[in-house]
């Protein structure tokens, strides 16, 4: 069978498989909703899971056996923790399967649109798209958490001055503030209600949210519970320091905006030029992967681009 005949069949099969998966997912959701309505109509005892029950279920799921994807990944690259930090409702194995499907589609489309030599590039680019989305979700959530932390510190300090306990102050944060900080503080509150020591719950939150200011808060709480002192004043100072850091960080970003934009242009220019020449005159640059010297030049160009982007990032990334 000719490849030109096989390619539409492959693309059609992938599209049909995606439609079937979406139909099955929607059908299961509709069946679950119909079952819940039927239980309400006939008067069955339908019990809603409380936050404590959901927390216990989540803990049981975390101690379950590791998947194959968790076993083959290194310990420092904990996929479960990354997915928890991104707060996405998808399993690592499911996202890995989506990446494989997109990589296959990207490779097939690259062969159909250009030639077989570009297929690995298209496959790798499409394979990394879901993981790029995961990274952006994680970075955005951690950034929002860092921006809300100063207000949370002041809210807890006001609750302490009003005579409430530290756990009650965290409950106020969980009730009054938006996500993601309300979810994390609410989880700490539920854990200590279930009997887990407050210090352990706070350390767990630090493990889920890698934030330096949050570590300051947890350390100050641990020291205050051992030695005593005015925790409300300490939290006010931490909130003030966080606000000043964000102010300085905004000034640094404004001063380094030109350097960051220059880095983006310098990295994107050769890639854009390569794609444009691939579309306009592919035979002009096919020596880059057919000739041995062209292969060496391509590898050297990629390595130099990576080194240049790393150097620019180091220059403009100023720690505050």
């Amino acid at each position: 069978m000719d490849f030109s005949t096989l390619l539409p069949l492959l693309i059609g099969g992938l599209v049909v498989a995606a439609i079937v998966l979406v139909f099955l997912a929607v059908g299961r959701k509709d069946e679950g909703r119909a079952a819940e309505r039927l239980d309400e109509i006939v008067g069955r005892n339908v019990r809603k899971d409380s936050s404590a029950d959901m927390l216990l279920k989540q803990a049981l799921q975390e101690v379950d056996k590791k998947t194959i994807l968790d076993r083959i990944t290194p310990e420092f690259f904990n996929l479960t923790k990354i997915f928890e930090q991104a707060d996405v409702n998808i399993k690592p194995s499911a996202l890995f399967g989506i990446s494989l499907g997109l990589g296959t589609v990207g490779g097939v489309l690259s062969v159909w649109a250009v030639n077989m030599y570009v297929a690995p590039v298209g496959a790798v680019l499409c394979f990394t798209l879901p993981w790029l989305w995961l990274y952006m979700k994680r970075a955005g959530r951690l950034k929002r958490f860092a921006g809300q932390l100063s207000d949370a510190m002041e809210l807890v300090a006001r609750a302490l001055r009003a005579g409430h306990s530290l756990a009650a102050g965290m409950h106020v944060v969980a009730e009054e503030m938006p996500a993601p900080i309300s979810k994390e503080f609410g989880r700490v509150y539920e854990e200590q209600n279930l009997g887990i020591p407050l210090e352990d719950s706070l350390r767990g939150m630090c493990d889920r949210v890698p934030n330096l200011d949050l570590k300051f808060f947890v350390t100050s709480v641990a020291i205050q519970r051992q030695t005593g002192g005015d925790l409300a004043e300490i939290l006010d100072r931490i909130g003030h320091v966080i606000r000043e850091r964000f102010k300085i960080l905004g000034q640094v970003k404004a001063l380094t905006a030109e350097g960051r934009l220059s880095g983006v242009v310098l990295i994107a220019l050769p890639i854009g030029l390569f794609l444009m020449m691939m579309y306009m005159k592919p035979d002009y640059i096919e020596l880059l992967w057919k000739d041995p010297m062209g292969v060496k030049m391509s590898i050297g160009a990629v390595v130099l681009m990576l080194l240049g982007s790393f150097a620019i990032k180091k220059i403009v990334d100023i720690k505050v």
Side-chain angles (χ1 to χ4, degrees):
M1 184 181 291
D2 191 9
F3 181 75
S4 60
T5 308
L6 183 60
L7 181 61
L9 294 177
L10 291 175
I11 297 176
L14 292 172
V15 172
V16 171
I19 294 174
V20 170
L21 290 175
V22 172
F23 177 77
L24 290 175
V26 174
R28 290 178 181 177
K29 186 181 295 185
D30 292 338
E31 289 177 0
R33 292 176 179 174
E36 290 180 358
R37 288 184 179 179
L38 184 61
D39 291 337
E40 293 178 358
I41 292 174
V42 300
R44 292 179 183 174
N45 187 15
V46 180
R47 184 178 62 88
K48 296 291 185 179
D49 289 338
S50 63
S51 57
D53 295 333
M54 295 178 63
L55 188 62
L56 288 175
K57 290 180 181 179
Q58 187 175 5
L60 291 175
Q61 293 175 357
E62 289 176 356
V63 300
D64 198 2
K65 293 181 179 180
K66 292 183 178 180
T67 61
I68 298 178
L69 188 60
D70 292 331
R71 293 178 184 274
I72 63 177
T73 52
E75 289 295 332
F76 64 87
F77 188 66
N78 193 343
L79 286 177
T80 304
K81 185 183 295 184
I82 293 175
F83 274 70
E84 189 176 10
Q85 292 172 355
D87 194 20
V88 292
N89 296 323
I90 187 173
K91 295 181 179 180
S93 57
L95 189 65
F96 188 74
I98 294 174
S99 300
L100 287 179
L102 288 177
T104 304
V105 173
V108 172
L109 291 179
S110 299
V111 174
W112 176 66
V114 188
N115 51 42
M116 61 179 299
Y117 298 102
V118 193
V121 179
V124 170
L125 290 177
C126 292
F127 180 84
T128 56
L129 287 178
W131 302 100
L132 181 62
W133 167 79
L134 178 66
Y135 172 78
M136 294 176 64
K137 287 279 291 183
R138 175 181 178 271
R141 186 171 184 268
L142 295 179
K143 185 177 180 180
R144 290 194 302 272
F145 184 92
Q148 296 170 347
L149 190 57
S150 59
D151 295 333
M153 295 296 99
E154 293 185 355
L155 193 58
V156 174
R158 292 172 185 172
L160 291 175
R161 288 194 178 94
H164 298 285
S165 62
L166 180 60
M170 292 185 177
H171 183 61
V172 172
V173 174
E175 292 291 332
E176 299 296 334
M177 295 194 66
I181 199 167
S182 60
K183 183 176 181 179
E184 294 296 336
F185 275 72
R187 180 169 177 176
V188 172
Y189 176 75
E190 294 294 343
E191 286 178 350
Q192 63 89 29
N193 279 343
L194 291 174
I196 301 175
L198 184 60
E199 290 83 357
D200 295 341
S201 301
L202 291 173
R203 292 193 195 99
M205 182 170 61
C206 281
D207 189 44
R208 294 189 303 269
V209 183
N211 186 279
L212 184 61
D213 298 320
L214 182 62
K215 292 181 180 179
F216 290 157
F217 165 67
V218 174
T219 304
S220 63
V221 169
I223 294 175
Q224 190 271 341
R225 290 175 71 88
Q226 294 177 2
T227 62
D230 190 359
L231 183 59
E233 184 179 356
I234 297 174
L235 296 182
D236 283 336
R237 292 182 179 180
I238 293 176
H240 177 72
V241 171
I242 294 173
R243 277 199 169 86
E244 292 298 322
R245 284 186 58 204
F246 266 87
K247 186 184 298 184
I248 297 174
L249 186 61
Q251 296 176 357
V252 170
K253 285 186 177 180
L255 295 175
T256 58
E258 182 179 358
R260 288 186 282 112
L261 182 60
S262 300
V264 171
V265 172
L266 291 175
I267 297 300
L269 185 61
I271 298 175
L273 183 61
F274 174 80
L275 295 177
M276 184 181 68
M277 295 302 298
M278 179 68 68
Y279 176 76
M280 296 178 62
K281 196 172 179 60
D283 57 341
Y284 183 76
I285 59 172
E286 65 183 4
L287 295 175
L288 291 176
W289 55 81
K290 288 186 176 181
D291 189 82
M293 181 60 69
V295 174
K296 295 179 182 178
M297 292 175 62
S298 300
I299 295 174
V302 172
V303 172
L304 290 176
M305 285 178 60
L306 293 176
L307 291 177
S309 62
F310 179 75
I312 294 174
K313 180 175 176 58
K314 280 293 188 182
I315 293 172
V316 301
D317 188 12
I318 300 175
K319 300 295 182 182
V320 179

